[in-house]
Amino acid sequence: MPHEAVEGARKAFLTGRSKPLEHRIGQLRNLQRLLVERKEEIAEAIKKDLYKSEAGTQLYETLGLEAEIILTVKKLAEWAAPRPVEKNLMTISDTVYIQPEPLGVVLIIGAWNYPWAVTLQPLIGAIAAGNAAVVKPSEVCVHTSKVMEDLLPLYIDKELYPVVTGGVSETQELLRQRFDHVFYTGNSVVGKLVMEAAAKHLTPVTLELGGKSPCFIDKNCDIPVACRRITWGKYSNCGQTCIAPDYILCESSIQDRVLEEIKKSIKAFYTEDPKTCPDYGRIINQRHFKRIMAMTDDCTIAIGGENDESACYIAPTVLTDVKGSSKVMQEEIFGPLLPILTVRGVDEAISFINKGEKPLALYIFSPDDKVIKKVIAETSSGGVLANDCLVHYSVSALPFGGVGNSGMGSYHGKFSFDNLSHLRACLIKKLTMEGINDMRYPPHTAKKLGWARFFIVKNPDLGWIGRMVLLAIVTVVAAVVLQVRRGKGGVGGARRDTYLTDLKTMVNITKRT
């Protein structure tokens, strides 16, 4: 099945039908129809997998996809058009541009925590860029994977965009095939395996991973507002969000206030008993339940801690007495545990952050722009957000992606289109203006090198100098032509006419500028 799906997608791509903009836009609009017309089926499956409410499914999964499709359809002609670039003196008479073109067949391996959002978002980019794409939803979300397998072929071209379901063996079989790009969302352990498999075919990859996203709270900030936003960012989807705040760094003097305000926010969002709240999710399966609960062994549970393995339920939990060596600090939590570590100030917070791998997101809560700029300047992360959580993901004009251990490559909006396109360099010359090329042809002399240095190294900024420099270029070209030809014993009548024609061409170019 995986092999046949890949071969079928490549055969369909080679027909060329994925390339016309009309086809791409039609497929994208069909995808939007799917999200609107089948929202009940989508929500029902996600509720079975992650216990998300229908409103939560739309808010965190499908509304963003609809917005992405609308933006892409609106901008596609602009993104796909040739992109003129700045010329230099050597190419002033040429046509120079970048032409985005499809890569070919893309493999998209989705994740289970937001199974529609992180699978269809790269698919939108793949379709927009004119590619074929093999879609592999996560087998961990059993019900959602089945719905995706059933519904996608009803709305979009099933040969160009086949869905392959199954577990580890099917994914491994897919990775043995040759693709033109692999887009994987998940964890760094599997990410390394994906990259290793892709390397055998020299296939480029986009890896959207994760990591321990830190959250620094300045003692001078509005703590109730900060804690409300952190509580929302941490416990949405039961903490199973790649950009959720993984841990808090704050001074010991405000730790009790932080605990108090987080407790208030948990109650306000999820009631006294989150287990009965329809807006509070569940851990995806018992394996992850056990993994998360094991992280609490060497810490103090300050808030929450209630759990039910049979229901994969873990209450919103805050941990204190946490050290850098604690179990909860050794890997990305990906669950509803929020450790608090105390530091002596922003400098110690920065030092702690920099000792670990570069995170996917970094959060700063402070009213002081100097503090915010200091943290940004002295750390590195995939993205950074001051005084809120998660919402940078929703800004299509920002690239979303990791750095180092948290991933490579970025997407969303135009970044998805560019990431899944080949930006082809194009230069179109005419078989005229040959006189100016004499400086590059053998025999190479000091005089030719001098002129080449002017044109290449001393190349002026045409955007600033404008028409007057272009007029000067004509003079330079004339000098180059005459000097070179004198070195060869003079210019004959026929050759002189050719050079004069070249100069007239340059003058015409100048007039059009």
Side-chain angles (χ1 to χ4, degrees), residues 39-68:
K39 61 184 178 183
E40 288 84 6
E41 293 165 71
I42 291 170
E44 182 181 354
I46 290 183
K47 186 173 181 63
K48 290 177 181 177
D49 289 324
L50 288 157
Y51 200 72
K52 286 183 186 177
S53 65
E54 183 173 345
T57 294
Q58 290 190 47
L59 184 62
Y60 295 104
E61 296 265 5
T62 59
L63 289 183
L65 292 172
E66 286 188 63
E68 184 84 351

Side-chain angles (χ1 to χ4, degrees), residues 18 59-60 96 170-171 214 223 272 285 343 375-376 410 435 479:
S18 67
L59 184 62
Y60 295 104
V96 186
E170 285 79 11
T171 303
I223 292 176
E272 288 277 9
N285 55 36
V343 292
V375 176
I376 292 174
S410 60

Side-chain angles (χ1 to χ4, degrees), residues 260-281:
E260 179 185 353
E261 295 300 333
I262 290 176
K263 189 172 184 178
K264 286 180 183 177
S265 295
I266 290 172
K267 181 179 177 181
F269 293 166
Y270 305 117
T271 75
E272 288 277 9
D273 185 6
K275 191 174 183 180
T276 64
C277 178
D279 292 316
Y280 187 70

Side-chain angles (χ1 to χ4, degrees), residues 358-412:
K358 295 178 181 180
L360 183 56
L362 190 156
Y363 301 109
I364 315 152
F365 285 83
S366 175
D368 189 340
D369 284 344
K370 290 182 181 179
V371 171
I372 294 170
K373 289 177 180 178
K374 178 180 177 66
V375 176
I376 292 174
E378 298 181 18
T379 61
S380 179
S381 62
V384 63
L385 179 54
N387 297 319
D388 207 347
C389 293
L390 310 188
V391 294
H392 62 297
Y393 182 91
S394 68
V395 182
S396 294
L398 289 175
F400 181 82
V403 58
N405 204 62
S406 57
M408 62 180 66
S410 60
Y411 70 127
H412 288 192

Side-chain angles (χ1 to χ4, degrees), residues 53 138 197 245 365 377 437 464:
S53 65
S138 172
F365 285 83
N437 291 330
W464 281 93

Side-chain angles (χ1 to χ4, degrees), residues 206-221:
T206 299
L207 303 178
E208 296 297 336
L209 308 178
K212 299 189 72 64
S213 297
C215 180
F216 172 69
I217 305 177
D218 184 354
K219 65 181 179 181
N220 298 314
C221 79

